[in-house]
Amino acid sequence: MSAPQTPETTPSGDLTEGGNVRPITRWGTPVMHAKTRPITDFDDPEFRTLVRDMFATMKAAAGVGLAATQVGVDLAVFVYDCPDADEKRHVGVVCNPQVTLPEGRDRRLESGEEGCLSLPGAYQPLSRPDKATCTGQDVDGNDITILGTGLLARCLQHETDHLNGTVFGDRLSARARKKLYEQHESLADRYLEDWPITPKQPAS
């Protein structure tokens, strides 16, 4: 999905630029299905390199969010570049995220096609709350709160799930999950093992 050119927020130090693209880890790899370790050292150069590389990888894969587990790292951090319900573009980093969802009369589910860069090419409808509040720390360790609507709300839930060892296929019915894997298998030859370092292959 395209987004406006001017972001609503950006991480400090412009960690959105200068990273190296890494291969995206696929579902079934153990790191994708286990809870992550919290970020405690925000000054660690390796952590900041990871964030830079995650932005580069997300951009190369044309994604709107990417969790550290999706590049094989078991740390509780995700990056995002995603529009909200009003098509405002939001860009940022969330460490140690916690998501709070509306309850009671404020809870409204929205069904939408959902996909995952770690199972490329496959999409299935999934109902999620249309609003989400995500708290955590930014890349410098400052407390942050993000109020998500529309696609941003879905992104915040999806990426926080990743850091808790949950992939969105876990939230589907068995029938929908089967369709999801069939879609992925039908396109698997277009996504090589090191994708997105090697771009998506043309249809044969």
Side-chain angles (χ1 to χ4, degrees):
M1 178 177 284
S2 61
Q5 291 301 306
T6 303
E8 186 77 6
T9 54
T10 53
S12 66
D14 198 19
L15 296 178
T16 63
E17 300 292 337
N20 295 310
V21 178
R22 301 190 187 191
I24 289 182
T25 306
R26 305 299 174 89
W27 289 10
T29 307
V31 71
M32 294 292 299
H33 307 279
K35 190 171 176 60
T36 49
R37 296 178 291 129
I39 303 291
T40 56
D41 185 358
F42 294 88
D43 295 320
D44 182 356
E46 291 188 6
F47 163 63
R48 300 182 87 81
T49 295
L50 169 65
V51 169
R52 232 184 229 105
D53 290 355
M54 287 170 64
F55 272 111
T57 303
M58 178 177 66
K59 182 177 180 180
V64 296
L66 188 77
T69 51
Q70 294 182 273
V71 290
V73 179
D74 67 336
L75 288 175
V77 57
F78 71 81
V79 301
Y80 62 95
D81 185 343
C82 185
D84 63 16
D86 296 321
E87 290 300 320
K88 289 183 179 178
R89 180 184 174 201
H90 298 257
V91 181
V93 181
V94 185
C95 303
N96 310 317
Q98 298 288 329
V99 165
T100 304
L101 301 174
E103 297 181 352
R105 293 182 179 179
D106 294 329
R107 184 180 177 87
R108 185 171 62 189
L109 296 179
E110 185 175 83
S111 180
E113 290 282 303
E114 192 158 329
C116 182
L117 298 179
S118 291
L119 195 77
Y123 299 86
Q124 281 293 307
L126 177 64
S127 292
R128 290 189 188 264
D130 64 347
K131 295 181 177 64
T133 302
C134 184
T135 59
Q137 292 80 46
D138 66 13
V139 75
D140 298 311
N142 302 307
D143 289 340
I144 55 172
T145 298
I146 304 162
L147 305 177
T149 60
L151 184 58
L152 180 60
R154 185 174 294 272
C155 176
L156 296 174
Q157 294 171 70
H158 182 113
E159 302 308 331
T160 300
D161 272 355
H162 271 311
L163 301 179
N164 289 317
T166 299
V167 298
F168 92 91
D170 296 334
R171 297 188 176 276
L172 297 174
S173 68
R175 182 178 180 182
R177 193 179 310 120
K178 181 180 178 181
K179 288 183 178 179
L180 189 77
Y181 278 108
E182 287 174 350
Q183 288 175 351
H184 169 67
E185 288 300 321
S186 70
L187 298 171
D189 59 350
R190 300 186 64 185
Y191 299 91
L192 302 186
E193 188 174 342
D194 68 346
W195 179 79
I197 294 175
T198 298
K200 178 182 175 181
Q201 302 298 291
S204 56

